[in-house]
Amino acid sequence: MISQGQCNIFKQNCLSGLENFAAGTTYVYKIALYTSLANLTPDTLIYTTDGEITGTGYTAGGEELTNIVPASSNNISFISFDPVTWNPASFTAAGALIYNADTDAAVCVLSFGSDKTATNTFTVTFPAATSSTAVIRLN
């Protein structure tokens, strides 16, 4: 079961000063892809290989997220990311986990709504970085 949402551990880590998306941070954030058999929910604590996809063009642990620029508007802080592309790609994914690759701490779970099968290229495109649409918002 993949249930979309910000992970509770991420919220706790933000309040404890254990996450840093600012320019120049040494932290690396990644996105890993999962099959529909994965058990990912907002209660997910850490990156796991259980249910992670396998296939041509995919490496366990996923890909690094780029263009992380924290911003704030309308009393909401937010971030989004550049699209992530796997090419070549031959696999099926039902969701993803964004996580801090330095600590393996989960940030958020993404559900694709159904299995998405790639036969050449697979791209995860994030919503615009605004206070109402960004993939991660704190208010």
Side-chain angles (χ1 to χ4, degrees):
M1 170 182 76
I2 297 178
S3 179
Q4 184 162 304
Q6 285 185 19
C7 295
N8 296 318
I9 193 67
F10 170 69
K11 297 172 193 175
Q12 292 172 6
N13 286 346
C14 284
L15 293 175
S16 299
L18 299 174
E19 299 293 349
N20 187 350
F21 292 92
T25 183
T26 60
Y27 289 167
V28 172
Y29 291 89
K30 292 181 123 183
I31 182 170
L33 302 178
Y34 291 85
T35 71
S36 59
L37 299 176
N39 185 22
L40 299 173
T41 71
D43 291 325
T44 299
L45 296 174
I46 61 172
Y47 160 74
T48 178
T49 58
D50 292 343
E52 190 171 10
I53 69 157
T54 59
T56 302
Y58 186 82
T59 302
E63 293 291 325
E64 186 174 341
L65 295 167
T66 59
N67 196 26
I68 303 171
V69 181
S72 186
S73 175
N74 301 319
N75 296 317
I76 299 172
S77 296
F78 52 88
I79 55 174
S80 199
F81 314 100
D82 280 345
V84 178
T85 299
W86 288 264
N87 186 359
S90 180
F91 51 75
T92 298
L97 178 70
I98 294 174
Y99 69 100
N100 180 327
D102 295 294
T103 64
D104 282 346
V107 172
C108 74
V109 175
L110 304 175
S111 172
F112 299 156
S114 63
D115 282 344
K116 305 299 180 191
T117 300
T119 56
N120 187 25
T121 301
F122 190 90
T123 300
V124 175
T125 301
F126 295 96
T130 72
S131 62
S132 60
T133 60
V135 68
I136 298 175
R137 298 184 302 270
L138 301 175
N139 55 8

